[in-house]
Amino acid sequence: MGVHKVKRVVNILHMYPDLLNLYGDKGNIECLKKRLEWRGIEVNVKSCTFQDNSIDLDNTDIVFLGGGSDREQKIVCEALLKQKQRLKEYVENSGVLLAVCGGYQLLGKYYQLEDEKIEGLSILDIYTEQGKKRLIGNIVLHNDEIGADIVGFENHGGRTYTGNYKNLGSVVKGYGNTGKSGFEGVVYKNVFATYLHGPLLPKNPKLCDHILKRVLEKKYPDNSSLAPLDDETEIKANEYMKEIILSK
Amino acid sequence: MKAKLAVLAAKAAALAAGAAGGKSSSMPGAVALRICPNLIEVLSKQVRKGIIVTCGTNGKTTTNNLMCSALEGKGYKVVCNKLGANMINGVATAFALAAGSDGRIDADYAAIEIDEASAPKVFKYMRPDVMVITNLFRDQLDRYGEIDITADLLKSAIEMVPKLTLVLNGDDPLCAQFGVKENRKSVFYGISEQVLPQTDDTKEGRFCPVCGAQMWFDYYHYSQLGKYECPKCAFKRPRIDVEVKNVDLGTPMRFTINNKPMVLNYKGFYNIYNMIAVYAGLSALGEDTNDFQNLLKGYKPQIGRMEEIVLCGKPVILNLAKNPAGFNQAIQTVLTDKRKKDIIIAINDNANDGRDVSWLWDVDFELVADEYMNTLTCTGKRLYDIALRFKYSDVKVDEITSDMKSAIEKAIKTDSEVCYVLVNYSAMYTTEDIMLELKKKYGGA
């Protein structure tokens, strides 16, 4: 008889998919979900929508905050400001949060637009300023901790200044946080925030598993192993894009 | 004098490009505009009866060409940018090549499709009488930014022409918003009953374009098209002037327009919108629509719009879609075909496709894997992205290959009855060339 293991369950909270849905965020949610399910871990994906506005962080293991248009981002921000304290506690308590694009900007102190300042959640001590041109294109990062190159697509008007935080990666090709700093994203405790939008995780299985590992270590410290998966297509996708991006 | 020179230069450029095998239909216009920057103004003023333009994310080319075909069916001479080059150079090409060598236009109507972002630039020179707006969907984000920006561009274009009559898709709140201002004549068209199953696809415009509140929908057709009403302000689906009911999506397709029965050999629910946009456009121009069904018979679809070629006795159907709404509609059309089928999907990320392929996750691709699907092949420059899209929906992909030709050759040799090839923009021409090449090799029947 093998060691009897308790059934593991992971609850994902997708924040405002009705508002923040600009860049195929479904790709990230599906990737988190499937890579758990394929390992026999039960997954519940719940949505907090603009209408129900129900945020149950006590029973949440991963929070996902996506990107939206400026208008939609403002609506979300107003709703989320009321939950600011609880989200902050969740983060300080090592809750896992993946924030993409607009969601990344929202975590900071503010987003200074040309004619208006959108107040952020101040969960991270970072801020964003609108730049002259949008930074758009394929991007390659290197992340030492997971020992992998991360490929993705960025499209942002904001320049995000991240102070002394650890970054998601150093920019090998592309723009990153400000277009100049040479770094992309922020990693703080179990918060992963990035401008790489949409289907970031499917082509970066190592990053996805790194995040999932953090989830399991927090929830099941004695039972946090992740069985290996057949990632042939994912790795091919990653290397193929890297080759194309770096050859330009 | 300048105009005449410009026309001649455009004609020469088109000849030279044609000889070199070029397909660009914007280059001759670019040459002409360099010689005569207001060429569009000079030539469009010579059009006798009226100018009708078509904008909108999906269905522009089909609607505009259908419009041209219907007007020609009535015996009129029509200037039209048939090949779909729809920025200012493409519009200039259409006028320059339609002009005689005396540099003058002999036409009753101009039917011109215009890229949304180019509309204000073109309207600086050309004052249309009627403007059709088909729909506004998320499209090529990395080129235009957000859908609000597109709506603002169209608004500014509309403001430039005070006497413009609008022909609007009343089922699309993002389109209908252009008609809420008083003092502007608007003709609304729409489909006034629920036809398709309700899916959970991208619904960009669920928020009231007037006040921002979330709207109520009685039903959706697809994306944000449907019957809607804002709970906060007075904005709602307008009274529909050209109204479709009694839809039967079989072959042939049947429905009624303002209670008149139509029987037409077209595929795809979305084609109803293209047809009634033309019907509404003709009414707005003051043309008779009693012979509408006959007028549509003369129309030959553009390449890549459910275009069928028979290879080894098997129909191979090529369809172009440029964005999530288009792909979702293509998939719905594939699903209505209950024959055993092979499916090939090609996704490119060239500049005219949009470099960003995030939208693949906003399309219900996994639906194609119904009980009638035989094999599934992923190809195009982003073959792995589409393969992963299927993998993470637990759909088995039979082949991932960058070779479209071998993919089609394999598909025509299986025991299926039909093969669908779904492509985005830049994959369309290469795929069509391959299909024609294979037709020579394998013949028709």
Side-chain angles (χ1 to χ4, degrees), chain B residues 378-397:
Chain B
C378 300
T379 181
K381 283 178 73 184
R382 299 302 290 260
L383 68 177
Y384 291 110
D385 288 86
I386 182 71
L388 286 176
R389 173 70 186 81
F390 282 113
K391 179 173 179 182
Y392 282 88
S393 302
D394 289 320
V395 173
K396 186 177 158 277
V397 172

Side-chain angles (χ1 to χ4, degrees), chain A:
Chain A
M1 288 289 283
V3 185
H4 177 77
K5 287 192 172 172
V6 276
K7 189 175 176 65
R8 294 183 288 181
V9 183
V10 169
N11 299 315
I12 300 175
L13 179 65
H14 191 175
M15 293 271 209
Y16 304 104
D18 50 339
L19 286 160
L20 303 179
N21 62 354
L22 196 51
Y23 299 115
D25 292 320
K26 189 178 161 194
N28 290 327
I29 297 286
E30 285 300 302
C31 191
L32 291 165
K33 180 170 174 255
K34 293 290 178 185
R35 295 184 72 81
L36 288 164
E37 285 178 351
W38 288 336
R39 287 152 162 145
I41 298 167
E42 194 181 316
V43 182
N44 302 304
V45 180
K46 279 191 189 152
S47 295
C48 152
T49 64
F50 184 60
Q51 270 165 342
D52 63 31
N53 210 15
S54 64
I55 303 183
D56 176 14
L57 289 175
D58 296 336
N59 292 304
T60 295
D61 305 304
I62 306 175
V63 172
F64 180 82
L65 193 55
S69 68
D70 285 347
R71 181 183 54 155
E72 289 165 343
Q73 211 165 302
K74 253 187 344 211
I75 301 174
V76 167
C77 198
E78 278 161 31
L80 270 181
L81 277 174
K82 293 172 198 146
Q83 314 278 352
K84 184 171 149 178
Q85 200 46 41
R86 288 172 61 211
L87 258 175
K88 183 144 181 117
E89 281 163 21
Y90 173 86
V91 165
E92 291 304 325
N93 195 24
S94 298
V96 174
L97 191 160
L98 175 59
V100 167
C101 234
Y104 174 21
Q105 296 168 343
L106 278 180
L107 295 182
K109 287 186 134 62
Y110 60 84
Y111 182 9
Q112 179 66 56
L113 293 164
E114 212 170 280
D115 46 8
E116 157 179 40
K117 190 172 183 175
I118 301 182
E119 189 189 343
L121 297 168
S122 293
I123 286 171
L124 301 177
D125 188 10
I126 61 175
Y127 63 95
T128 303
E129 286 173 354
Q130 188 174 25
K132 273 214 176 84
K133 77 176 210 315
R134 288 187 80 84
L135 306 178
I136 304 172
N138 287 304
I139 178 168
V140 180
L141 313 177
H142 183 75
N143 180 310
D144 266 336
E145 197 179 344
I146 61 172
D149 289 326
I150 297 170
V151 297
F153 196 91
E154 59 183 327
N155 180 352
H156 49 107
R159 314 291 192 261
T160 299
Y161 297 90
T162 59
N164 297 321
Y165 285 103
K166 216 161 66 170
N167 297 102
L168 180 66
S170 50
V171 177
V172 181
K173 186 112 181 198
Y175 297 104
N177 285 334
T178 66
K180 288 177 188 153
S181 71
F183 293 100
E184 205 291 319
V186 159
V187 177
Y188 167 71
K189 292 198 167 189
N190 284 339
V191 175
F192 299 83
T194 176
Y195 273 123
L196 275 55
H197 67 233
L200 162 68
L201 297 179
K203 278 201 295 288
N204 297 290
K206 277 190 174 174
L207 174 63
C208 187
D209 283 357
H210 178 74
I211 295 170
L212 294 177
K213 187 86 181 150
R214 296 286 187 89
V215 173
L216 295 177
E217 278 167 356
K218 177 164 169 11
K219 192 166 188 181
Y220 302 103
D222 302 324
N223 186 13
S224 67
S225 67
L226 275 177
L229 295 173
D230 172 10
D231 283 337
E232 194 193 332
T233 311
E234 287 85 345
I235 291 165
K236 269 191 189 156
N238 179 293
E239 287 176 351
Y240 175 83
M241 278 317 292
K242 199 163 74 187
E243 200 182 305
I244 289 179
I245 299 165
L246 295 183
S247 71
K248 271 176 191 162

Side-chain angles (χ1 to χ4, degrees), chain B residues 315-442:
Chain B
V316 179
I317 301 171
L318 173 65
N319 190 64
L320 161 73
K322 291 187 266 195
N323 44 44
F327 265 101
N328 278 325
Q329 277 301 289
I331 287 163
Q332 285 299 333
T333 306
V334 172
L335 288 176
T336 59
D337 191 334
K338 304 293 183 199
R339 290 175 288 181
K340 189 172 180 181
K341 55 211 168 190
D342 295 293
I343 294 172
I344 299 170
I345 298 179
I347 302 296
N348 279 354
D349 65 352
N350 292 321
N352 45 5
D353 300 305
R355 299 275 184 205
D356 182 10
V357 296
S358 303
W359 59 269
L360 291 178
W361 294 84
D362 294 328
V363 175
D364 301 319
F365 275 111
E366 64 273 24
L367 295 181
V368 297
D370 66 358
E371 65 210 275
Y372 305 102
M373 186 175 83
N374 186 39
T375 65
L376 175 62
T377 303
C378 300
T379 181
K381 283 178 73 184
R382 299 302 290 260
L383 68 177
Y384 291 110
D385 288 86
I386 182 71
L388 286 176
R389 173 70 186 81
F390 282 113
K391 179 173 179 182
Y392 282 88
S393 302
D394 289 320
V395 173
K396 186 177 158 277
V397 172
D398 297 282
E399 193 162 347
I400 305 170
T401 172
S402 53
D403 186 350
M404 172 64 93
K405 193 169 153 191
S406 83
I408 297 178
E409 279 189 295
K410 274 191 187 166
I412 56 179
K413 286 170 187 165
T414 71
D415 64 348
S416 75
E417 296 163 83
V418 60
C419 171
Y420 278 92
V421 186
L422 308 182
V423 300
N424 70 340
Y425 194 74
S426 72
M428 178 179 67
Y429 290 101
T430 49
T431 306
E432 207 209 18
D433 287 347
I434 289 168
M435 282 168 64
L436 293 173
E437 188 190 328
L438 290 175
K439 192 172 180 180
K440 275 184 206 149
K441 187 168 167 190
Y442 293 103

Side-chain angles (χ1 to χ4, degrees), chain B residues 133-197:
Chain B
I133 305 177
T134 57
N135 48 54
L136 285 183
F137 297 129
R138 184 180 293 183
D139 190 23
Q140 303 184 9
L141 279 161
D142 53 340
R143 229 166 57 175
Y144 294 136
E146 294 150 10
I147 210 158
D148 296 351
I149 298 173
T150 308
D152 287 344
L153 282 164
L154 287 175
K155 265 180 209 156
S156 69
I158 293 167
E159 303 270 299
M160 293 165 75
V161 191
K163 284 189 178 157
L164 182 67
T165 299
L166 294 174
V167 171
L168 302 170
N169 185 338
D171 291 343
D172 183 354
L174 297 174
C175 274
Q177 66 171 318
F178 301 119
V180 293
K181 273 205 177 160
E182 304 105 54
N183 311 327
R184 180 166 309 269
K185 204 180 150 211
S186 301
V187 179
F188 293 99
Y189 60 90
I191 301 167
S192 298
E193 64 188 18
Q194 186 186 322
V195 181
L196 298 173

